[in-house]
Amino acid sequence: SLHIFPGEEYLHMQRQAVLPGLDISIGEPLMATWEDALKILNVVFKEFPSPDEGCAVLAGHGSPNTYAAPSTAVYLAFDRLLRSHFQNVFLGSVEGVPDRKEALDRAKAYPGRHVRFIPLMLVAGDHVMNDIMGDKPGGDGELSWALELKKAGKFVDCPTVKVRGKTYFKGLGFYDVTSEIFIEHIHQALRDFM
């Protein structure tokens, strides 16, 4: 699995990976344990602005259904973990809870002017480029997270990385610890056969 939390797609993959006569073992999502989550936080927190400077909004994908996957509970527990460790770090998701409105309202109310969006996604693709950091309203007229905060007088940014001369928003896949965790999960899946 290359999922962050055990959401709908992860459960769908588990259901689809059942074939008669074939032994299949599936690696766990990136943050399958709280130990994994803390390993990620120990690296990602270096991207957070200082509390005097501003706040960080971790932008996850989320799960639209309350019943379909355990990821909703995990997102809420992860939000609680963040709140207990950081006064200036908020969690929002594109689909699900904690939602966009909650995260952006908290960022608007935070006294610092700087808001840094940190993708809590393996790849900072379409959702980050358009929904989070988009520089023009969507087809439905909805502002991106960044535009909404700029309108509220905030300075926004997102960590980037250069690859072969091109600049990309920095998803979790660009952190070495992410690969290390996924490789350990592959090893665990292989050990399940022994």
Side-chain angles (χ1 to χ4, degrees):
S1 165
L2 294 177
H3 299 94
I4 305 303
F5 292 130
E8 283 183 87
E9 292 174 4
Y10 180 74
L11 295 181
H12 178 72
M13 178 185 68
Q14 285 183 315
R15 288 190 298 272
Q16 295 298 313
V18 176
L19 297 171
L22 188 62
D23 290 330
I24 298 173
S25 183
I26 298 174
E28 295 180 308
L30 180 65
M31 294 194 213
T33 67
W34 291 113
E35 180 183 350
D36 294 337
L38 290 173
K39 285 179 185 175
I40 295 292
L41 270 179
N42 282 335
V43 172
V44 173
F45 92 94
K46 296 171 187 165
E47 308 281 7
F48 299 169
S50 71
D52 292 339
E53 183 185 4
C55 64
V57 174
L58 274 62
H61 187 279
S63 184
N65 296 321
T66 60
Y67 61 87
S71 62
T72 296
V74 177
Y75 270 102
L76 291 171
F78 191 69
D79 184 52
R80 185 183 179 299
L81 177 73
L82 290 171
R83 288 179 194 231
S84 68
H85 286 83
F86 306 100
Q87 66 178 4
N88 68 326
V89 179
F90 314 120
L91 177 63
S93 61
V94 177
E95 300 176 5
V97 294
D99 65 6
R100 161 200 172 114
K101 181 179 181 337
E102 181 179 349
L104 297 185
D105 285 351
R106 291 173 72 196
K108 287 175 192 174
Y110 194 81
R113 184 170 177 264
H114 182 197
V115 178
R116 173 162 290 152
F117 290 108
I118 299 174
L120 199 62
M121 302 175 196
L122 186 63
V123 175
D126 183 59
H127 282 307
V128 175
M129 292 185 295
N130 296 305
D131 300 326
I132 311 296
M133 295 301 295
D135 57 4
K136 56 187 171 200
D140 57 1
E142 184 173 60
L143 299 178
S144 69
W145 297 22
L147 286 176
E148 186 172 329
L149 289 181
K150 285 179 184 178
K151 189 175 173 184
K154 299 288 187 174
F155 165 77
V156 301
D157 68 1
C158 181
T160 58
V161 63
K162 280 197 180 252
V163 177
R164 296 186 186 129
K166 289 185 139 188
T167 302
Y168 299 95
F169 292 119
K170 191 175 184 181
L172 293 177
F174 282 110
Y175 297 92
D176 290 341
V177 69
T178 300
S179 299
E180 293 165 10
I181 292 170
F182 277 134
I183 290 167
E184 175 52 36
H185 291 179
I186 291 169
H187 288 172
Q188 182 60 51
L190 292 172
R191 286 191 295 269
D192 289 346
F193 282 119
M194 297 177 186

